Amino acid sequence: MSEEHPPALDPSAGDRLARDGYPADFWPFHDAVAHRSSWKLERRQSFQEPRNPSWQAHRDGDWERSLRLLEERREEQARTERESRGRGHLFHRVRVVERPLTPYLQWELTSLRQQAECGAPVRVVDGSTVRPYESDAHLPELVVLGGERLYHVQYTDDGLLDGAIRFTDPALVRPWERFLRELFAHGRDMVAFHDREVAPLPPPTVTEPYIRPAAPRVSEPER
């Protein structure tokens, strides 16, 4: 990994998008990206996804139903990946993992394994790999779309989506895109990682508090 840290993301240099405004801005641009790559960095170890039926079943303590619901979406996931590849848009994910795994992460890594099986480019990075870049704070939750837009995704303390800050200055977008490319290149294969370190675990026991948010007017970007 390079020793160069990507530039700081000063909120005043971007546009604050509210919880509904973020997906309304995200999806039209996402669906128009062609012949370019996008990148997502996930650093937090726990989120809440109340509109995901599989996550909800996991949260309710029904692990078998959670897995069954994941399997039921496999065909749709594969179709989504085929459509993205058909227009030359690869959406790469870099998932930072700390141990022991949180209950959320055990569920999400299972979901990401399926996505990888369906053709999504997903890699796992150990927390130790990113700590040299975290002297002041954890790396931000980020999405870089088509090399043109960078979203610093915002979350509440409870892990609920709370909008994003959008940056379009190439002096910010390009260094972060290079950084995520490099992280991805140093990551580990999602399927192999899951089979070795996640599949043998017993079903997760959920202890985090759950706060149900109001329904959004626009579908949130998938976490």
Side-chain angles (χ1 to χ4, degrees), residues 5 41 43 96 98 127 130-140:
H5 195 294
L41 172 65
R43 179 63 179 93
V96 178
E98 301 277 8
V130 301
R131 266 190 279 282
Y133 308 94
E134 298 183 326
S135 57
D136 298 323
H138 280 171
L139 289 173

Side-chain angles (χ1 to χ4, degrees), residues 137-148:
H138 280 171
L139 289 173
E141 308 296 319
L142 293 179
V143 178
V144 177
L145 278 185
E148 294 185 23

Side-chain angles (χ1 to χ4, degrees), residues 24-128:
D25 188 85
F26 176 96
W27 282 118
F29 191 80
H30 171 278
D31 293 344
V33 173
H35 309 295
R36 289 173 290 173
S37 290
S38 294
W39 305 84
K40 183 177 180 68
L41 172 65
E42 294 182 298
R43 179 63 179 93
R44 284 182 60 130
Q45 302 298 289
S46 187
F47 295 93
Q48 296 200 46
E49 300 192 40
R51 278 165 287 279
N52 185 310
S54 176
W55 178 87
Q56 186 64 66
H58 143 70
R59 180 61 184 77
D60 291 341
D62 193 340
W63 186 238
E64 291 302 319
R65 182 167 181 268
S66 177
L67 296 179
R68 192 162 60 249
L69 288 168
L70 279 180
E71 190 58 33
E72 288 175 1
R73 76 168 193 182
R74 181 180 292 274
E75 183 176 344
E76 179 183 356
Q77 183 69 47
R79 182 171 61 253
T80 297
E81 294 303 325
R82 288 194 301 270
E83 291 173 352
S84 294
R85 288 177 179 272
R87 69 175 196 269
H89 180 206
L90 293 182
F91 193 99
H92 303 74
R93 291 174 181 263
V94 178
R95 201 343 143 185
V96 178
V97 171
E98 301 277 8
R99 296 171 183 79
L101 299 182
T102 62
Y104 171 83
L105 201 54
Q106 186 175 344
W107 171 81
E108 189 199 24
L109 291 169
T110 303
S111 174
L112 290 176
R113 183 194 192 282
Q114 181 190 80
Q115 294 181 41
E117 286 183 310
C118 291
V122 186
R123 296 275 180 89
V124 174
V125 172
D126 287 332
S128 59

Side-chain angles (χ1 to χ4, degrees), residues 180-191:
L180 296 186
R181 284 180 183 272
E182 191 170 358
L183 272 183
F184 185 88
H186 282 77
R188 290 190 277 174
D189 177 79
M190 180 70 251
V191 174

Side-chain angles (χ1 to χ4, degrees), residues 121-176:
V122 186
R123 296 275 180 89
V124 174
V125 172
D126 287 332
S128 59
T129 300
V130 301
R131 266 190 279 282
Y133 308 94
E134 298 183 326
S135 57
D136 298 323
H138 280 171
L139 289 173
E141 308 296 319
L142 293 179
V143 178
V144 177
L145 278 185
E148 294 185 23
R149 294 189 187 186
L150 185 156
Y151 297 97
H152 179 186
V153 190
Q154 307 291 296
Y155 293 91
T156 67
D157 291 342
D158 299 304
L160 289 167
L161 181 67
D162 193 32
I165 302 172
R166 180 188 60 205
F167 299 90
T168 57
D169 183 351
L172 291 174
V173 177
R174 290 172 183 169
W176 276 105

